[in-house]
Amino acid sequence: MRGLALSGGGARGLAHIGALEVFLEAGLEFQVVAGTSMGAIVGALYAAGKTPAEMLAIAHKTPWLGLLGFSPREGIFSRKKLKDFLAEHLPARFEELKRPLAVTAVDVVSGRLLFLTQGDLPSALLASAAYPGLLAPVEREGQLLFDGGVLDNLPVDAARLLGAREVYAVDVTPERRVEEAPKGLLALARRAVDLMQLHLTSVRLTLYAPEVYVRPSLPGVGIEDFRLLEEIVEAGRKAAKEVVASKVGGV
């Protein structure tokens, strides 16, 4: 059984669309999907039966930053518009998806990593994308949850849990180096989270190594750079083509 693992990374996660396009054109199908944050959203769209072309059309017409309205009561941003977006494009429950899906989240109280695989789908995706300090944690089934990327930004292990024996992992975790020093306390806090995710992802890759690893080149692209949609998607295509060519003889 072949599985797909998609990392978190905000706008950088739109590269998953390009990578998935190349995989499918090469005749690669994925029976199970696992994702974190934006990877969870793209993964859910695929699990629901959306094609990469349909995902790209959705991405083009979606005002991504507009989905995050300012809300001093919820955190820095409100998740209402994001919730409406998920309801428009996805079914209400995991059980209605065409492929098994696992998304990661972290229990704020216990500190445990969770793999969400059933029940209410939008709340699971909102929890997986609840970036600390930007979006408030999500209450779901008696637990308070936030971004799964805090502990598991590239959920190869979640794909294994669903039964995958061969995992294709697409990693858009931000790079170690940046073009310039972050300005402001919020930007510094985000940089700290990025570095923690990068190091933890490296460690987890030694424990849960995928059979195929794809790392799109996105230097200078931040998690908020949705304006670079085409560039990001093309980076996903390019990285996937290189890997597919070496693994299955070219596309």
Side-chain angles (χ1 to χ4, degrees):
M1 182 184 294
R2 185 180 296 123
L4 181 66
L6 304 176
S7 83
R12 299 166 60 89
L14 297 174
H16 296 320
I17 298 173
L20 185 56
E21 175 187 294
V22 171
F23 291 153
L24 297 181
E25 287 178 352
L28 297 166
E29 291 288 340
F30 301 95
Q31 288 72 48
V32 298
V33 190
T36 296
S37 197
M38 181 60 84
I41 294 173
V42 174
L45 290 169
Y46 176 63
K50 301 289 187 186
T51 66
E54 289 171 326
M55 295 181 208
L56 188 55
I58 291 170
H60 271 295
K61 71 178 184 180
T62 300
W64 292 99
L65 293 178
L67 296 181
L68 303 175
F70 179 70
S71 174
R73 290 188 301 173
E74 292 187 46
I76 293 180
F77 297 109
S78 166
R79 55 177 176 255
K80 181 182 183 304
K81 291 183 179 179
L82 180 55
K83 184 176 182 180
D84 292 342
F85 166 83
L86 297 173
E88 178 183 356
H89 298 291
L90 292 166
R93 298 182 63 81
F94 279 87
E95 291 79 5
E96 299 174 60
L97 295 169
K98 296 181 178 181
R99 297 175 178 85
L101 170 71
V103 304
T104 66
V106 175
D107 186 314
V108 174
V109 177
S110 71
R112 292 176 54 237
L113 172 66
L114 303 176
F115 297 149
L116 308 178
T117 61
Q118 58 188 359
D120 186 80
L121 179 60
S123 66
L125 296 174
L126 287 171
S128 189
Y131 193 94
L134 297 183
L135 287 168
V138 174
E139 292 185 20
R140 185 181 189 273
E141 298 180 358
Q143 295 173 306
L144 191 62
L145 309 176
F146 61 21
D147 194 339
V150 171
L151 294 180
D152 191 0
N153 201 46
L154 183 61
V156 174
D157 46 349
R160 301 270 191 225
L161 177 72
L162 293 177
R165 293 185 177 274
E166 181 184 29
V167 177
Y168 280 58
V170 185
D171 185 7
V172 295
T173 306
E175 290 87 357
R176 182 187 308 275
R177 297 183 63 86
V178 293
E179 295 180 345
E180 59 182 24
K183 298 177 181 178
L185 291 177
L186 179 58
L188 284 169
R190 281 177 39 201
R191 176 63 174 155
V193 173
D194 288 347
L195 288 171
M196 287 187 289
Q197 284 186 343
L198 176 66
H199 285 280
L200 187 55
T201 298
S202 297
V203 171
R204 293 186 71 87
L205 278 171
T206 65
L207 298 173
Y208 307 102
E211 280 65 38
V212 177
Y213 178 75
V214 179
R215 175 71 165 162
S217 178
L218 296 165
V221 178
I223 63 172
E224 75 286 351
D225 286 335
F226 291 98
R227 70 187 187 283
L228 301 176
L229 169 62
E230 287 294 342
E231 177 182 324
I232 294 169
V233 172
E234 183 57 32
R237 291 191 189 104
K238 182 179 179 181
K241 285 178 180 178
E242 292 173 356
V243 170
V244 168
S246 67
K247 294 293 181 182
V248 295
V251 294

PDB file of all heavy atoms in Angstrom, residues 100-133:
ATOM      1  N   PRO A 100      -8.546   6.966   3.160  1.00  0.00           N
ATOM      2  CA  PRO A 100      -8.236   7.200   4.564  1.00  0.00           C
ATOM      3  C   PRO A 100      -7.260   8.364   4.718  1.00  0.00           C
ATOM      4  O   PRO A 100      -6.310   8.503   3.952  1.00  0.00           O
ATOM      5  CB  PRO A 100      -7.602   5.879   5.012  1.00  0.00           C
ATOM      6  CG  PRO A 100      -8.150   4.864   4.072  1.00  0.00           C
ATOM      7  CD  PRO A 100      -8.263   5.569   2.750  1.00  0.00           C
ATOM      8  N   LEU A 101      -7.510   9.185   5.720  1.00  0.00           N
ATOM      9  CA  LEU A 101      -6.699  10.375   5.978  1.00  0.00           C
ATOM     10  C   LEU A 101      -6.353  10.445   7.456  1.00  0.00           C
ATOM     11  O   LEU A 101      -7.202  10.184   8.313  1.00  0.00           O
ATOM     12  CB  LEU A 101      -7.473  11.637   5.580  1.00  0.00           C
ATOM     13  CG  LEU A 101      -6.877  12.986   5.989  1.00  0.00           C
ATOM     14  CD1 LEU A 101      -5.629  13.296   5.162  1.00  0.00           C
ATOM     15  CD2 LEU A 101      -7.911  14.102   5.829  1.00  0.00           C
ATOM     16  N   ALA A 102      -5.114  10.815   7.750  1.00  0.00           N
ATOM     17  CA  ALA A 102      -4.701  11.099   9.122  1.00  0.00           C
ATOM     18  C   ALA A 102      -4.095  12.493   9.159  1.00  0.00           C
ATOM     19  O   ALA A 102      -3.272  12.832   8.298  1.00  0.00           O
ATOM     20  CB  ALA A 102      -3.675  10.070   9.610  1.00  0.00           C
ATOM     21  N   VAL A 103      -4.508  13.308  10.110  1.00  0.00           N
ATOM     22  CA  VAL A 103      -3.908  14.628  10.278  1.00  0.00           C
ATOM     23  C   VAL A 103      -3.373  14.734  11.706  1.00  0.00           C
ATOM     24  O   VAL A 103      -3.916  14.139  12.634  1.00  0.00           O
ATOM     25  CB  VAL A 103      -4.907  15.765   9.979  1.00  0.00           C
ATOM     26  CG1 VAL A 103      -5.476  15.610   8.590  1.00  0.00           C
ATOM     27  CG2 VAL A 103      -6.028  15.814  10.992  1.00  0.00           C
ATOM     28  N   THR A 104      -2.291  15.464  11.845  1.00  0.00           N
ATOM     29  CA  THR A 104      -1.657  15.571  13.151  1.00  0.00           C
ATOM     30  C   THR A 104      -2.149  16.783  13.920  1.00  0.00           C
ATOM     31  O   THR A 104      -2.498  17.814  13.345  1.00  0.00           O
ATOM     32  CB  THR A 104      -0.127  15.675  13.011  1.00  0.00           C
ATOM     33  OG1 THR A 104       0.190  16.913  12.358  1.00  0.00           O
ATOM     34  CG2 THR A 104       0.441  14.524  12.232  1.00  0.00           C
ATOM     35  N   ALA A 105      -2.159  16.642  15.231  1.00  0.00           N
ATOM     36  CA  ALA A 105      -2.462  17.753  16.130  1.00  0.00           C
ATOM     37  C   ALA A 105      -1.771  17.455  17.455  1.00  0.00           C
ATOM     38  O   ALA A 105      -1.362  16.310  17.714  1.00  0.00           O
ATOM     39  CB  ALA A 105      -3.965  17.905  16.329  1.00  0.00           C
ATOM     40  N   VAL A 106      -1.643  18.472  18.274  1.00  0.00           N
ATOM     41  CA  VAL A 106      -1.011  18.306  19.578  1.00  0.00           C
ATOM     42  C   VAL A 106      -1.988  18.735  20.664  1.00  0.00           C
ATOM     43  O   VAL A 106      -2.624  19.787  20.561  1.00  0.00           O
ATOM     44  CB  VAL A 106       0.288  19.144  19.684  1.00  0.00           C
ATOM     45  CG1 VAL A 106       0.878  19.052  21.083  1.00  0.00           C
ATOM     46  CG2 VAL A 106       1.304  18.673  18.650  1.00  0.00           C
ATOM     47  N   ASP A 107      -2.135  17.888  21.679  1.00  0.00           N
ATOM     48  CA  ASP A 107      -2.976  18.205  22.832  1.00  0.00           C
ATOM     49  C   ASP A 107      -2.239  19.231  23.692  1.00  0.00           C
ATOM     50  O   ASP A 107      -1.155  18.960  24.208  1.00  0.00           O
ATOM     51  CB  ASP A 107      -3.261  16.933  23.635  1.00  0.00           C
ATOM     52  CG  ASP A 107      -4.256  17.156  24.761  1.00  0.00           C
ATOM     53  OD1 ASP A 107      -4.109  18.142  25.496  1.00  0.00           O
ATOM     54  OD2 ASP A 107      -5.161  16.324  24.913  1.00  0.00           O
ATOM     55  N   VAL A 108      -2.834  20.417  23.840  1.00  0.00           N
ATOM     56  CA  VAL A 108      -2.186  21.502  24.575  1.00  0.00           C
ATOM     57  C   VAL A 108      -1.906  21.108  26.021  1.00  0.00           C
ATOM     58  O   VAL A 108      -0.847  21.433  26.576  1.00  0.00           O
ATOM     59  CB  VAL A 108      -3.064  22.769  24.535  1.00  0.00           C
ATOM     60  CG1 VAL A 108      -2.471  23.867  25.414  1.00  0.00           C
ATOM     61  CG2 VAL A 108      -3.224  23.268  23.099  1.00  0.00           C
ATOM     62  N   VAL A 109      -2.826  20.391  26.644  1.00  0.00           N
ATOM     63  CA  VAL A 109      -2.714  20.078  28.070  1.00  0.00           C
ATOM     64  C   VAL A 109      -1.724  18.950  28.322  1.00  0.00           C
ATOM     65  O   VAL A 109      -0.786  19.077  29.126  1.00  0.00           O
ATOM     66  CB  VAL A 109      -4.096  19.719  28.659  1.00  0.00           C
ATOM     67  CG1 VAL A 109      -3.960  19.331  30.130  1.00  0.00           C
ATOM     68  CG2 VAL A 109      -5.047  20.900  28.517  1.00  0.00           C
ATOM     69  N   SER A 110      -1.899  17.834  27.633  1.00  0.00           N
ATOM     70  CA  SER A 110      -1.038  16.666  27.881  1.00  0.00           C
ATOM     71  C   SER A 110       0.290  16.738  27.128  1.00  0.00           C
ATOM     72  O   SER A 110       1.247  16.061  27.496  1.00  0.00           O
ATOM     73  CB  SER A 110      -1.764  15.381  27.478  1.00  0.00           C
ATOM     74  OG  SER A 110      -1.889  15.297  26.062  1.00  0.00           O
ATOM     75  N   GLY A 111       0.338  17.535  26.053  1.00  0.00           N
ATOM     76  CA  GLY A 111       1.526  17.601  25.232  1.00  0.00           C
ATOM     77  C   GLY A 111       1.682  16.430  24.296  1.00  0.00           C
ATOM     78  O   GLY A 111       2.720  16.272  23.653  1.00  0.00           O
ATOM     79  N   ARG A 112       0.649  15.603  24.167  1.00  0.00           N
ATOM     80  CA  ARG A 112       0.719  14.407  23.332  1.00  0.00           C
ATOM     81  C   ARG A 112       0.464  14.733  21.862  1.00  0.00           C
ATOM     82  O   ARG A 112      -0.366  15.572  21.527  1.00  0.00           O
ATOM     83  CB  ARG A 112      -0.302  13.365  23.792  1.00  0.00           C
ATOM     84  CG  ARG A 112      -0.021  12.737  25.139  1.00  0.00           C
ATOM     85  CD  ARG A 112      -1.138  11.790  25.543  1.00  0.00           C
ATOM     86  NE  ARG A 112      -1.407  10.785  24.525  1.00  0.00           N
ATOM     87  CZ  ARG A 112      -2.596  10.603  23.952  1.00  0.00           C
ATOM     88  NH1 ARG A 112      -3.620  11.371  24.290  1.00  0.00           N
ATOM     89  NH2 ARG A 112      -2.749   9.650  23.052  1.00  0.00           N
ATOM     90  N   LEU A 113       1.183  14.023  20.989  1.00  0.00           N
ATOM     91  CA  LEU A 113       0.923  14.072  19.562  1.00  0.00           C
ATOM     92  C   LEU A 113      -0.258  13.164  19.248  1.00  0.00           C
ATOM     93  O   LEU A 113      -0.311  12.022  19.721  1.00  0.00           O
ATOM     94  CB  LEU A 113       2.157  13.593  18.797  1.00  0.00           C
ATOM     95  CG  LEU A 113       2.000  13.410  17.285  1.00  0.00           C
ATOM     96  CD1 LEU A 113       1.744  14.734  16.595  1.00  0.00           C
ATOM     97  CD2 LEU A 113       3.243  12.729  16.709  1.00  0.00           C
ATOM     98  N   LEU A 114      -1.198  13.649  18.460  1.00  0.00           N
ATOM     99  CA  LEU A 114      -2.377  12.879  18.102  1.00  0.00           C
ATOM    100  C   LEU A 114      -2.472  12.734  16.596  1.00  0.00           C
ATOM    101  O   LEU A 114      -2.140  13.655  15.844  1.00  0.00           O
ATOM    102  CB  LEU A 114      -3.643  13.577  18.612  1.00  0.00           C
ATOM    103  CG  LEU A 114      -3.741  13.869  20.109  1.00  0.00           C
ATOM    104  CD1 LEU A 114      -5.020  14.642  20.398  1.00  0.00           C
ATOM    105  CD2 LEU A 114      -3.684  12.586  20.915  1.00  0.00           C
ATOM    106  N   PHE A 115      -2.955  11.575  16.148  1.00  0.00           N
ATOM    107  CA  PHE A 115      -3.281  11.352  14.753  1.00  0.00           C
ATOM    108  C   PHE A 115      -4.807  11.281  14.663  1.00  0.00           C
ATOM    109  O   PHE A 115      -5.424  10.346  15.185  1.00  0.00           O
ATOM    110  CB  PHE A 115      -2.670  10.047  14.239  1.00  0.00           C
ATOM    111  CG  PHE A 115      -1.167  10.022  14.265  1.00  0.00           C
ATOM    112  CD1 PHE A 115      -0.489   8.823  14.464  1.00  0.00           C
ATOM    113  CD2 PHE A 115      -0.429  11.176  14.082  1.00  0.00           C
ATOM    114  CE1 PHE A 115       0.897   8.786  14.466  1.00  0.00           C
ATOM    115  CE2 PHE A 115       0.954  11.152  14.089  1.00  0.00           C
ATOM    116  CZ  PHE A 115       1.622   9.958  14.285  1.00  0.00           C
ATOM    117  N   LEU A 116      -5.402  12.266  14.026  1.00  0.00           N
ATOM    118  CA  LEU A 116      -6.855  12.337  13.915  1.00  0.00           C
ATOM    119  C   LEU A 116      -7.282  11.652  12.625  1.00  0.00           C
ATOM    120  O   LEU A 116      -6.824  12.031  11.539  1.00  0.00           O
ATOM    121  CB  LEU A 116      -7.313  13.795  13.942  1.00  0.00           C
ATOM    122  CG  LEU A 116      -6.784  14.631  15.126  1.00  0.00           C
ATOM    123  CD1 LEU A 116      -7.265  16.076  15.027  1.00  0.00           C
ATOM    124  CD2 LEU A 116      -7.182  14.011  16.455  1.00  0.00           C
ATOM    125  N   THR A 117      -8.157  10.665  12.741  1.00  0.00           N
ATOM    126  CA  THR A 117      -8.518   9.843  11.584  1.00  0.00           C
ATOM    127  C   THR A 117     -10.019   9.632  11.416  1.00  0.00           C
ATOM    128  O   THR A 117     -10.437   8.993  10.456  1.00  0.00           O
ATOM    129  CB  THR A 117      -7.859   8.449  11.687  1.00  0.00           C
ATOM    130  OG1 THR A 117      -8.331   7.794  12.875  1.00  0.00           O
ATOM    131  CG2 THR A 117      -6.338   8.563  11.733  1.00  0.00           C
ATOM    132  N   GLN A 118     -10.810  10.142  12.337  1.00  0.00           N
ATOM    133  CA  GLN A 118     -12.250   9.924  12.239  1.00  0.00           C
ATOM    134  C   GLN A 118     -13.009  11.070  12.895  1.00  0.00           C
ATOM    135  O   GLN A 118     -12.444  11.878  13.617  1.00  0.00           O
ATOM    136  CB  GLN A 118     -12.631   8.599  12.902  1.00  0.00           C
ATOM    137  CG  GLN A 118     -12.234   8.492  14.362  1.00  0.00           C
ATOM    138  CD  GLN A 118     -12.466   7.100  14.916  1.00  0.00           C
ATOM    139  OE1 GLN A 118     -12.941   6.201  14.218  1.00  0.00           O
ATOM    140  NE2 GLN A 118     -12.135   6.894  16.181  1.00  0.00           N
ATOM    141  N   GLY A 119     -14.312  11.093  12.622  1.00  0.00           N
ATOM    142  CA  GLY A 119     -15.145  12.126  13.218  1.00  0.00           C
ATOM    143  C   GLY A 119     -15.175  13.401  12.393  1.00  0.00           C
ATOM    144  O   GLY A 119     -15.043  13.388  11.166  1.00  0.00           O
ATOM    145  N   ASP A 120     -15.370  14.518  13.074  1.00  0.00           N
ATOM    146  CA  ASP A 120     -15.527  15.814  12.417  1.00  0.00           C
ATOM    147  C   ASP A 120     -14.240  16.219  11.693  1.00  0.00           C
ATOM    148  O   ASP A 120     -13.181  16.344  12.312  1.00  0.00           O
ATOM    149  CB  ASP A 120     -15.905  16.875  13.456  1.00  0.00           C
ATOM    150  CG  ASP A 120     -16.222  18.214  12.816  1.00  0.00           C
ATOM    151  OD1 ASP A 120     -17.345  18.370  12.314  1.00  0.00           O
ATOM    152  OD2 ASP A 120     -15.334  19.095  12.804  1.00  0.00           O
ATOM    153  N   LEU A 121     -14.338  16.434  10.391  1.00  0.00           N
ATOM    154  CA  LEU A 121     -13.146  16.744   9.592  1.00  0.00           C
ATOM    155  C   LEU A 121     -12.701  18.203   9.711  1.00  0.00           C
ATOM    156  O   LEU A 121     -11.509  18.456   9.949  1.00  0.00           O
ATOM    157  CB  LEU A 121     -13.400  16.369   8.130  1.00  0.00           C
ATOM    158  CG  LEU A 121     -12.260  16.643   7.147  1.00  0.00           C
ATOM    159  CD1 LEU A 121     -10.999  15.885   7.536  1.00  0.00           C
ATOM    160  CD2 LEU A 121     -12.701  16.268   5.722  1.00  0.00           C
ATOM    161  N   PRO A 122     -13.604  19.192   9.554  1.00  0.00           N
ATOM    162  CA  PRO A 122     -13.134  20.584   9.631  1.00  0.00           C
ATOM    163  C   PRO A 122     -12.433  20.929  10.937  1.00  0.00           C
ATOM    164  O   PRO A 122     -11.404  21.611  10.928  1.00  0.00           O
ATOM    165  CB  PRO A 122     -14.430  21.397   9.462  1.00  0.00           C
ATOM    166  CG  PRO A 122     -15.316  20.510   8.648  1.00  0.00           C
ATOM    167  CD  PRO A 122     -15.025  19.125   9.155  1.00  0.00           C
ATOM    168  N   SER A 123     -12.937  20.444  12.061  1.00  0.00           N
ATOM    169  CA  SER A 123     -12.294  20.772  13.335  1.00  0.00           C
ATOM    170  C   SER A 123     -10.911  20.146  13.432  1.00  0.00           C
ATOM    171  O   SER A 123      -9.984  20.729  14.004  1.00  0.00           O
ATOM    172  CB  SER A 123     -13.167  20.324  14.511  1.00  0.00           C
ATOM    173  OG  SER A 123     -13.275  18.908  14.571  1.00  0.00           O
ATOM    174  N   ALA A 124     -10.738  18.965  12.837  1.00  0.00           N
ATOM    175  CA  ALA A 124      -9.421  18.324  12.839  1.00  0.00           C
ATOM    176  C   ALA A 124      -8.430  19.129  12.018  1.00  0.00           C
ATOM    177  O   ALA A 124      -7.276  19.334  12.417  1.00  0.00           O
ATOM    178  CB  ALA A 124      -9.535  16.904  12.297  1.00  0.00           C
ATOM    179  N   LEU A 125      -8.867  19.606  10.855  1.00  0.00           N
ATOM    180  CA  LEU A 125      -7.990  20.396   9.996  1.00  0.00           C
ATOM    181  C   LEU A 125      -7.667  21.748  10.629  1.00  0.00           C
ATOM    182  O   LEU A 125      -6.534  22.236  10.546  1.00  0.00           O
ATOM    183  CB  LEU A 125      -8.635  20.591   8.630  1.00  0.00           C
ATOM    184  CG  LEU A 125      -8.859  19.304   7.821  1.00  0.00           C
ATOM    185  CD1 LEU A 125      -9.639  19.605   6.552  1.00  0.00           C
ATOM    186  CD2 LEU A 125      -7.535  18.636   7.487  1.00  0.00           C
ATOM    187  N   LEU A 126      -8.656  22.357  11.270  1.00  0.00           N
ATOM    188  CA  LEU A 126      -8.422  23.623  11.958  1.00  0.00           C
ATOM    189  C   LEU A 126      -7.415  23.443  13.084  1.00  0.00           C
ATOM    190  O   LEU A 126      -6.544  24.294  13.298  1.00  0.00           O
ATOM    191  CB  LEU A 126      -9.731  24.172  12.514  1.00  0.00           C
ATOM    192  CG  LEU A 126     -10.718  24.746  11.495  1.00  0.00           C
ATOM    193  CD1 LEU A 126     -12.045  25.056  12.161  1.00  0.00           C
ATOM    194  CD2 LEU A 126     -10.152  26.008  10.843  1.00  0.00           C
ATOM    195  N   ALA A 127      -7.534  22.330  13.792  1.00  0.00           N
ATOM    196  CA  ALA A 127      -6.593  22.057  14.879  1.00  0.00           C
ATOM    197  C   ALA A 127      -5.190  21.863  14.336  1.00  0.00           C
ATOM    198  O   ALA A 127      -4.214  22.410  14.865  1.00  0.00           O
ATOM    199  CB  ALA A 127      -7.035  20.812  15.653  1.00  0.00           C
ATOM    200  N   SER A 128      -5.067  21.096  13.257  1.00  0.00           N
ATOM    201  CA  SER A 128      -3.752  20.819  12.682  1.00  0.00           C
ATOM    202  C   SER A 128      -3.084  22.084  12.172  1.00  0.00           C
ATOM    203  O   SER A 128      -1.860  22.172  12.126  1.00  0.00           O
ATOM    204  CB  SER A 128      -3.883  19.805  11.541  1.00  0.00           C
ATOM    205  OG  SER A 128      -2.612  19.369  11.102  1.00  0.00           O
ATOM    206  N   ALA A 129      -3.899  23.094  11.799  1.00  0.00           N
ATOM    207  CA  ALA A 129      -3.372  24.341  11.244  1.00  0.00           C
ATOM    208  C   ALA A 129      -3.304  25.476  12.261  1.00  0.00           C
ATOM    209  O   ALA A 129      -2.967  26.606  11.895  1.00  0.00           O
ATOM    210  CB  ALA A 129      -4.233  24.768  10.057  1.00  0.00           C
ATOM    211  N   ALA A 130      -3.612  25.202  13.522  1.00  0.00           N
ATOM    212  CA  ALA A 130      -3.663  26.254  14.545  1.00  0.00           C
ATOM    213  C   ALA A 130      -2.256  26.617  15.008  1.00  0.00           C
ATOM    214  O   ALA A 130      -1.797  26.207  16.081  1.00  0.00           O
ATOM    215  CB  ALA A 130      -4.529  25.801  15.718  1.00  0.00           C
ATOM    216  N   TYR A 131      -1.577  27.379  14.184  1.00  0.00           N
ATOM    217  CA  TYR A 131      -0.188  27.791  14.445  1.00  0.00           C
ATOM    218  C   TYR A 131      -0.116  28.570  15.750  1.00  0.00           C
ATOM    219  O   TYR A 131      -0.845  29.545  15.935  1.00  0.00           O
ATOM    220  CB  TYR A 131       0.288  28.660  13.283  1.00  0.00           C
ATOM    221  CG  TYR A 131       1.770  28.924  13.233  1.00  0.00           C
ATOM    222  CD1 TYR A 131       2.613  28.123  12.473  1.00  0.00           C
ATOM    223  CD2 TYR A 131       2.333  29.994  13.921  1.00  0.00           C
ATOM    224  CE1 TYR A 131       3.973  28.376  12.392  1.00  0.00           C
ATOM    225  CE2 TYR A 131       3.694  30.259  13.854  1.00  0.00           C
ATOM    226  CZ  TYR A 131       4.505  29.445  13.093  1.00  0.00           C
ATOM    227  OH  TYR A 131       5.853  29.706  13.029  1.00  0.00           O
ATOM    228  N   PRO A 132       0.737  28.162  16.677  1.00  0.00           N
ATOM    229  CA  PRO A 132       0.796  28.804  17.993  1.00  0.00           C
ATOM    230  C   PRO A 132       1.027  30.311  17.903  1.00  0.00           C
ATOM    231  O   PRO A 132       1.924  30.776  17.202  1.00  0.00           O
ATOM    232  CB  PRO A 132       2.000  28.115  18.658  1.00  0.00           C
ATOM    233  CG  PRO A 132       2.092  26.797  17.973  1.00  0.00           C
ATOM    234  CD  PRO A 132       1.696  27.047  16.553  1.00  0.00           C
ATOM    235  N   GLY A 133       0.193  31.056  18.590  1.00  0.00           N
ATOM    236  CA  GLY A 133       0.319  32.500  18.632  1.00  0.00           C
ATOM    237  C   GLY A 133      -0.441  33.228  17.551  1.00  0.00           C
ATOM    238  O   GLY A 133      -0.715  34.422  17.681  1.00  0.00           O
TER     239      GLY A 133
END
